[in-house]
Structures are given as C-alpha cells and as structure tokens.
Amino acid sequence: MVAYTTTPCDVEVGTEERTVVLVEQKSSSARICKMWVALLVVALCLGVIVVCVWYWSIRPAATVQSNQTEKQTEVAASAAAPKTTDPHDTLRRISSNAKVAIHLEGIYDESVKHQLEWRNGQGQAFAQGGFQVVDNQIIIPQSGIYFVYSQASFRVTCSDEEEENVGKRHTPLSHRIWRYSDSVGSKTSLMSAVRSACQSSPQEDGVGVGQGWYNAIYLGAVFQLNKGDKLWTETNQLAELETEEGKTFFGVFAL
C-alpha cells in the first residue's frame, strides 16, 4: 500500500505559485511480507538439509540389510537346487562358455575298431572355435594356453583267487594323453595314470565275487600348446570300458 503526504510550502508564496510535491511512502506491511518470505526460504533450506541427513544416515543400514537378504536368497536357492558333483557336467558347462573349446564322447566297438573312438556331435559332445577331430586326434586351432582333460571309466568283473582267472584280482588300468608337435618333432606324454582293479577283497569293495568293480581315471591340467598340435589318448583294457554318456570323455578349451 502506498501513501502520499504533502510537504510544507512557503506560506508567503501566493496560491498560484504554490507547488505540491508528492512523496512516496512505503508501507510497513511490505517490509513484513518480505520478512516472512525470507523466513519461509530459510525454513525450506533447513528442511532439505534435515531430510538429506536422515536419508544418508539410514542408507547404509538399508544397503546392508538388502545385501543380507540377497545372500540369504542365493543360499536358499543353492540349497534347493540339486547339487552336481559330476566332473563331466562341470567341465562341459565350463568349456561351453569358452569361445574355443571341444568336448568329445568316447565310444568303443570291438567289432569295428580296437581303439577308443572319440566322437563329436553325439550326446553332450561339441566343437567350436576352429577345433577339428582328424584320425581320432584333436587338432589345436591356434597357439595359446589350454586346459586339457579326459576321463576313462572302467567296470571290471572281479574273480575269486581260487578261480582259474586269478589275473582279474589285480588288473592294471591305464589312461594316457599324448601330444605331437611339429616344434618337437616327436610325440610326448602330457598326462597318464594307472589304477589296479580288484585290488581289495570283494567284501571290502562292497561287491560280491563275479560282480562289477567300478572306477574312473581322470586326467586334467593346463598346457602351452601350438597351432597344429595333435592330441590323442591311449587306454588299455578297452573291453572293460564304460562308454555310456558322461562316463568316458576327452576335451580341450582355451584359457
């Protein structure tokens, strides 16, 4: 609100020569409004500060609680999920995630060949990243670091020492992985292992005379291989091999 006041003038001046000057006078209510606006702005700023302090004070606790809940959920899901300890399944899943990998299934047919045959495209077998199988050998597509693995599963029929076939009481089982490299010019043994079947009495093995003795030879390690290197296996007691899916396999994947 604006008020106007008249300034005093010289009384001796004539009526015609008198000049009236209007002076603008600000109302006190305008100052009060400005003061309230300032107080309101200060209150809003303080409110924002309080909210920010409260939010950041409870955020760590909420984050910890959320992480604990997620971990509990993961543990519960892991407990509910079936546990798989089969190395074949584990290696297959690892190798399938690699861009350069091969996983082969073993087949043995005595009437066709007297060797363990490795096949691709059968069961869980696959090849990717340039791997090839030539003459039952894995050809390395490029130089690098590789994990090489293989497993041979056996089922041997144990016999009593009093029987004529006493040799079955101590049947040696062997499985080996060979490598040929042009840089070396000859074949070298990468890995090998030997087991003795029926080495314990039938009662200790948990089977009776004439029943099966089961065991597997697993090989696996990391090697520096060159492009064009050839890998193959050598296994004895082929007639005792178990070649059902997931029991006898051979594979390589790049690291």
Side-chain angles (χ1 to χ4, degrees):
M1 182 177 180
V2 180
Y4 295 91
T5 57
T6 305
T7 57
C9 58
D10 192 352
V11 294
E12 295 180 358
V13 180
T15 305
E16 294 80 3
E17 297 181 3
R18 292 181 181 178
T19 302
V20 178
V21 179
L22 299 179
V23 179
E24 181 179 356
Q25 182 179 7
K26 295 183 179 180
S27 173
S28 61
S29 60
R31 291 192 299 272
I32 294 175
C33 289
K34 289 184 178 180
M35 182 177 65
W36 279 109
V37 170
L39 290 176
L40 180 61
V41 171
V42 173
L44 289 176
C45 293
L46 291 176
V48 171
I49 294 173
V50 171
V51 170
C52 291
V53 172
W54 174 80
Y55 175 76
W56 289 108
S57 63
I58 66 169
R59 182 179 176 84
T63 303
V64 171
Q65 184 176 3
S66 176
N67 293 336
Q68 291 178 348
T69 303
E70 292 178 357
K71 290 181 178 179
Q72 292 175 355
T73 303
E74 292 177 356
V75 171
S78 300
K83 296 182 179 180
T84 302
T85 58
D86 181 12
H88 174 272
D89 182 69
T90 302
L91 288 171
R92 183 190 61 80
R93 287 188 286 104
I94 294 175
S95 59
S96 62
N97 293 330
K99 295 182 179 180
V100 181
I102 186 170
H103 184 85
L104 305 175
E105 296 281 353
I107 299 296
Y108 174 67
D109 189 349
E110 186 177 1
S111 62
V112 179
K113 291 183 178 181
H114 295 284
Q115 66 174 355
L116 178 58
E117 182 181 358
W118 299 110
R119 294 186 180 180
N120 181 22
Q122 177 174 318
Q124 301 184 71
F126 69 93
Q128 60 189 26
F131 271 110
Q132 294 180 345
V133 180
V134 179
D135 295 332
N136 213 34
Q137 300 175 342
I138 294 178
I139 310 300
I140 302 302
Q142 58 191 22
S143 300
I145 305 297
Y146 292 87
F147 185 81
V148 183
Y149 62 92
S150 183
Q151 176 176 294
S153 298
F154 298 88
R155 178 179 58 187
V156 181
T157 302
C158 301
S159 60
D160 192 0
E161 292 181 353
E162 297 179 357
E163 297 181 3
E164 296 180 359
N165 193 10
V166 181
K168 285 282 187 168
R169 292 290 297 151
H170 300 283
T171 302
L173 308 173
S174 66
H175 188 51
R176 182 188 300 269
I177 298 178
W178 291 95
R179 171 197 180 191
Y180 177 85
S181 180
D182 291 334
S183 60
V184 178
S186 61
K187 70 176 185 178
T188 56
S189 177
L190 286 185
M191 295 173 283
S192 65
V194 178
R195 296 279 179 86
S196 295
C198 303
Q199 56 189 347
S200 303
S201 64
Q203 289 76 14
E204 292 177 356
D205 282 336
V207 296
V209 175
Q211 296 184 1
W213 180 92
Y214 300 89
N215 210 328
I217 297 179
Y218 171 78
L219 306 171
V222 177
F223 297 93
Q224 170 74 51
L225 302 178
N226 300 323
K227 181 178 180 180
D229 284 1
K230 301 176 182 178
L231 304 180
W232 70 95
T233 64
E234 180 182 352
T235 309
N236 76 336
Q237 304 295 338
L238 294 177
E240 313 294 343
L241 274 173
E242 285 195 296
T243 56
E244 298 177 8
E245 183 177 346
K247 291 187 176 181
T248 299
F249 49 86
F250 182 26
V252 183
F253 59 86
L255 299 177

